[in-house]
Amino acid sequence: MSAELSVQVSASPGGGSAPAPRRRTAWADGLDELRAAAVTEPGRLRMIGAVLALLVLVFGAATAWQVADRAAAADDVVGRSQPLSADAARIYRSLADADTTAAGGFLAGGEESRATRARYDHDLATAARLLVRASAGTPESDRAGEQIARLNSTLPQYAGLIETARTDNRQGLPLGGAYLRYANGRMRGELLPAARALYDAENDRLAADYDAAKTWPWGALVAGAAALAALAWAQRRHYRRTNRVFNRGLVAATAAALAVLVWLVTGHALARSGLSASYDRGARSLRVLNEARIDALQARGDENLTLVARGAVLTPDQKDFYEVGFRKGMTDLAGPGTRGAASSGSRLGTALALADDEAGRRPVREALARIRQWQARHAQARAADDKGDYQQALARVIGDDRPTRESFDRVDAALEQALAHEQQEFRSAADGGRAALGGLAVGAGVLAVLGAVGAVLGIARRLSEYR
């Protein structure tokens, strides 16, 4: 009888078994508990404490991350991209000087001086050494890496042509001049364009690092504003419910978050100022001065080759190719004309405008004075050559009595002095800029943790009143 009753109880009206009730998941139970807690003041306080602590920690983490990223970019400006840019300029300058020196040695006759040979060898060795250093920090697939590979493959070919030209020149063979002009063509058509492309690529890398270092950390600033707004709202809520002005824990959390925000804004503003100064007073000046020095070297090479070629190479309008190149170089350096101040758009005019102190302007003025002297002496050499007095023209270019060689050397020395000054200006301003970010990433992390602890303790103090 009891068995039949059991079957009847468990059977459904249709004769089937009743489905077992569905078990609730832990997630659903947790949501229910959360909803239940949210309608009580202790539950709301716990949620507020958790949100405040989370916001302060997010602010600290965002600040540490973005400041570390900008500090690394500032370090790259000083320790990587600007030195690589300077090395690229030295590679270009060494190649141009080697070509100029080779042409000058050729003019001296069958046996060039030891000083000329040593200078040429030093230029090639410097270019090769700097190419090795540049390739060590540049991927082959990079635009700069492609130019480095091109230079490495072409430089030995150029050196071989120069040696052939020297050998023929020592033997008095006219073919030596043809080899020298061909080597100069390889330098102008392949090596110097590749060196220029490398220099441009490194300057683009420098500009990118500047931009990365100077970009405002908007994510951290927004997170900081959100954390401070939430803390202000929580304290206002506390005051309205308890009529107590201060909650020590929340005040401490607010002070920590505010300290991080002020430190972030001030430190980044100082870093931007220092880096901007290093660019305006250093990097821009360095680029103009490097280009001025290269222009002077190329003008000197054209001047030498004018006497080597002796009218054998002409422009499409039947003018001496190298004399046209010399005049263009002088125009780029100081502007049109042969007297007076440099024009505003010329290399030296721009360098004078960018120099911000007398120590920077003095060597540029000296370079300009020597450029004008060089132009006057060059005109005398050309006048002698046009009259058919080749030996007099040669003496005016490479002789011992006020030659153009002396003027060029003084121009080069003055520009080197200006470069050294601007390099020091760049380093001083850049170091000051990146120092403004020092300790900020670590300090933000520590203050954020302290602020989160303060928020939790402040809410815990309120919760204790409900026990």
Side-chain angles (χ1 to χ4, degrees):
M1 186 68 171
S2 60
E4 292 178 359
L5 181 60
S6 175
V7 172
Q8 290 176 0
V9 170
S10 62
S12 65
S17 60
R22 296 183 60 184
R23 297 184 60 186
R24 291 176 56 81
T25 63
W27 174 255
D29 291 339
L31 286 177
D32 287 343
E33 291 176 3
L34 188 61
R35 292 191 193 99
V39 299
T40 64
E41 183 60 14
R44 292 193 189 99
L45 288 173
R46 291 188 183 94
M47 292 178 62
I48 290 171
V51 170
L52 291 177
L54 179 62
L55 286 174
V56 173
L57 289 174
V58 167
F59 174 38
T63 300
W65 169 53
Q66 293 196 309
V67 166
D69 185 62
R70 281 146 184 78
D75 289 341
D76 284 342
V77 166
V78 177
R80 187 193 65 167
S81 51
Q82 197 281 327
L84 284 174
S85 174
D87 284 349
R90 289 182 63 194
I91 290 170
Y92 196 118
R93 192 166 60 244
S94 296
L95 293 175
D97 190 66
D99 197 54
T100 299
T101 303
F106 197 91
L107 283 177
E111 289 294 334
E112 60 185 344
S113 68
R114 288 186 178 181
T116 300
R117 181 63 191 238
R119 180 169 177 169
Y120 170 83
D121 290 341
H122 176 73
D123 284 333
L124 289 192
T126 298
R129 175 174 56 82
L130 292 176
L131 283 170
V132 170
R133 189 159 73 184
S135 63
T138 305
E140 292 185 6
S141 58
D142 189 84
R143 183 160 60 103
E146 294 175 359
Q147 302 307 324
I148 292 171
R150 183 180 174 190
L151 287 166
N152 280 327
S153 65
T154 310
L155 186 57
Q157 300 172 15
Y158 168 82
L161 290 170
I162 292 295
E163 291 306 316
T164 302
R166 282 174 169 160
T167 300
D168 289 342
N169 192 40
R170 283 194 295 268
Q171 296 174 2
L173 299 176
L175 192 59
Y179 270 106
L180 182 67
R181 292 194 299 274
Y182 182 59
N184 176 260
R186 295 292 298 273
M187 176 64 75
R188 288 172 178 265
E190 298 181 43
L191 283 166
L192 291 183
R196 164 63 73 175
L198 174 62
Y199 181 57
D200 290 341
E202 297 300 352
N203 275 292
D204 289 344
R205 191 200 307 268
L206 176 61
D209 286 339
Y210 263 115
D211 289 341
K214 292 166 63 178
T215 301
W216 278 100
W218 292 113
L221 292 173
V222 170
L228 285 172
L231 285 165
W233 172 83
Q235 289 175 89
R236 182 172 180 274
R237 182 181 185 277
H238 171 74
Y239 170 73
R240 293 181 64 183
R241 289 179 177 269
T242 65
N243 207 31
R244 297 170 187 166
V245 178
F246 297 115
N247 177 294
R248 293 178 182 177
L250 294 180
V251 169
T254 303
L258 185 61
V260 173
L261 187 61
V262 171
W263 191 359
L264 173 62
V265 172
T266 304
H268 192 75
L270 291 174
R272 279 175 60 91
S273 177
L275 290 170
S276 295
S278 74
Y279 180 76
D280 294 333
R281 300 205 308 261
R284 289 178 63 195
S285 295
L286 286 170
R287 180 163 190 169
V288 172
L289 289 169
N290 277 319
E291 290 174 348
R293 201 173 181 193
I294 289 165
D295 285 341
L297 283 166
Q298 290 181 330
R300 177 61 180 171
D302 284 331
E303 184 178 52
N304 289 338
L305 285 164
T306 300
L307 294 178
V308 172
R310 305 187 70 173
V313 184
L314 302 176
T315 63
D317 55 352
Q318 301 303 302
K319 293 181 180 179
D320 188 294
F321 177 83
Y322 298 111
E323 177 63 16
V324 170
F326 173 84
R327 292 179 180 177
K328 181 181 183 303
M330 291 293 106
T331 301
D332 290 343
L333 275 168
T338 58
R339 297 179 182 178
S343 64
S344 59
S346 65
R347 306 289 192 211
L348 296 184
T350 304
L352 278 172
L354 290 174
D356 64 337
D357 58 9
E358 186 59 28
R361 288 188 285 269
R362 189 184 306 112
V364 179
R365 291 197 190 101
E366 171 66 14
L368 177 61
R370 297 304 175 182
I371 285 287
R372 297 312 189 196
Q373 180 190 74
W374 184 4
Q375 288 175 301
R377 292 178 178 181
H378 176 81
Q380 295 173 353
R382 295 312 309 144
D385 193 36
D386 290 342
K387 292 177 182 178
D389 192 348
Y390 178 78
Q391 292 302 320
Q392 178 65 19
L394 190 64
R396 291 289 184 183
V397 173
I398 63 170
D400 297 324
D401 184 18
R402 294 175 295 176
T404 60
R405 170 182 51 80
E406 179 184 73
S407 300
F408 162 73
D409 287 342
R410 291 182 177 179
V411 169
D412 193 61
L415 291 175
E416 185 175 12
Q417 182 182 354
L419 279 165
H421 174 76
E422 296 302 331
Q423 181 67 41
Q424 184 178 0
E425 289 281 291
F426 161 82
R427 188 59 188 259
S428 176
D431 283 345
R434 64 175 180 167
L437 298 176
L440 178 52
V442 175
V446 172
L447 286 173
V449 171
L450 293 176
V453 170
V456 171
L457 291 178
I459 296 299
R461 181 67 181 271
R462 281 282 292 126
L463 281 171
S464 66
E465 297 173 2
Y466 289 89
R467 296 188 183 127

